[in-house]
């Protein structure tokens, strides 16, 4: 006799087979999940409500833990984004500070190149060092502020005004060159402007 035949024999003839999706009433016999012997446990209404409340409490704790984890992940992503932006800005500021410190050296080289000297090798050496310095600065994005147009207070600093035949507001003379990195001004051009 097989196991299924034994199970059929034990059932009373008038017993109806259980519906697979039937709801369990609060006082129904329930198999304990940790009890693998198959014994049924009967819960009272109060015990059923207590177990139900405990499950809801666990679900609420789970939901709040998931929400806290999501907030933590969002905060960390925001921190990384802010940190990357601050790092890039600090690098740009440091680069601008170093270049700003080198600009007087470039001014000195330009004055040295304007001087007449009988020693051609010396003047060629100064010209070579100046060209290398300006080439390296150009690789970093440094460029001279143009002064061939009219006066622009965003780019130029007018330190002198002079009567001239040129149109009013045009630049007569550049007293000190100005430089910028990409679109960021490092030093304004110091100019003389026509009245």
């Amino acid at each position: 006799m097989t196991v299924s035949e034994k199970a059929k024999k034990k059932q009373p003839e008038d017993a109806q087979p259980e519906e697979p999706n039937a709801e369990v009433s609060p006082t129904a016999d329930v198999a304990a999940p940790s009890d693998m012997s198959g014994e049924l446990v009967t819960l009272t209404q109060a015990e059923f409500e207590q177990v139900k409340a405990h499950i809801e409490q666990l679900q609420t704790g789970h939901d709040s833990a998931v929400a806290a984890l999501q907030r933590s992940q969002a905060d960390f992503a925001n921190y990384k984004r802010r940190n990357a932006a601050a790092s890039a800005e600090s690098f740009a500021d440091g680069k601008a500070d170093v270049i700003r410190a080198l600009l007087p050296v470039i001014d000195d080289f330009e004055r040295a190149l304007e001087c007449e000297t009988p020693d051609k090798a010396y003047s060629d050496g100064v010209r070579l060092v100046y060209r290398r310095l300006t080439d390296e600065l150009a690789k970093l994005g440094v460029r001279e502020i143009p002064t061939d147009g009219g006066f622009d207070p965003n780019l130029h600093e007018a330190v002198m005004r002079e009567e001239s035949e040129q149109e009013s507001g045009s630049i007569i003379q550049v007293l000190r060159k100005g430089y910028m990195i990409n679109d960021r001004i490092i030093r304004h051009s110091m100019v003389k402007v026509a009245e």
Side-chain angles (χ1 to χ4, degrees):
M1 187 183 287
T2 64
V3 174
S4 62
E5 289 173 350
K6 286 181 185 178
K8 284 182 184 176
K9 221 177 197 189
K10 282 188 178 181
Q11 285 184 348
E13 290 180 14
D14 61 332
Q16 302 220 351
E18 282 187 35
E19 294 178 21
N21 291 330
E23 287 187 19
V24 177
S25 69
T27 58
D29 292 338
V30 179
S34 62
D35 186 4
M36 302 309 276
S37 68
E39 291 181 31
L40 296 179
V41 176
T42 304
L43 296 177
T44 64
Q45 180 70 29
E47 290 172 332
F48 178 77
E49 293 298 327
Q50 185 179 8
V51 169
K52 185 178 173 186
H54 182 67
I55 290 171
E56 288 173 356
Q57 181 184 11
L58 291 174
Q59 185 63 44
T60 303
H62 172 266
D63 292 345
S64 65
V66 167
L69 178 62
Q70 289 172 340
R71 277 193 306 276
S72 177
Q73 287 175 333
D75 288 345
F76 184 66
N78 290 337
Y79 164 76
K80 281 175 43 177
R81 190 172 31 257
R82 281 192 310 270
N83 196 28
S87 177
E89 188 175 333
S90 291
F91 179 77
D93 287 345
K95 184 169 129 178
D97 288 345
V98 170
I99 291 169
R100 193 173 293 114
L102 290 175
L103 292 181
V105 176
I106 292 174
D107 295 339
D108 292 342
F109 269 112
E110 289 173 349
R111 280 192 288 276
L113 290 172
E114 291 172 2
C115 295
E116 296 289 328
T117 178
D119 191 352
K120 183 167 175 18
Y122 176 77
S123 62
D124 288 346
V126 170
R127 190 170 279 104
L128 176 68
V129 173
Y130 172 74
R131 187 171 40 244
R132 284 203 55 203
L133 179 60
T134 55
D135 288 348
E136 291 302 319
L137 290 175
K139 288 178 188 175
L140 293 172
V142 178
R143 61 189 169 93
E144 193 176 315
I145 293 176
T147 54
D148 50 359
F151 175 75
D152 182 354
N154 297 319
L155 302 174
H156 311 117
E157 181 182 349
V159 291
M160 295 176 71
R161 292 177 95 40
E162 187 176 283
E163 298 247 354
S164 173
E165 296 174 0
Q166 293 184 9
E167 184 181 330
S168 176
S170 60
I171 296 172
I172 301 171
Q173 181 182 4
V174 178
L175 304 173
R176 186 182 73 187
K177 291 181 181 178
Y179 293 92
M180 60 192 331
I181 300 175
N182 303 323
D183 293 329
R184 183 178 181 179
I185 295 175
I186 299 174
R187 182 176 80 180
H188 291 79
S189 297
M190 193 178 290
V191 294
K192 184 192 291 187
V193 181
E195 285 188 341

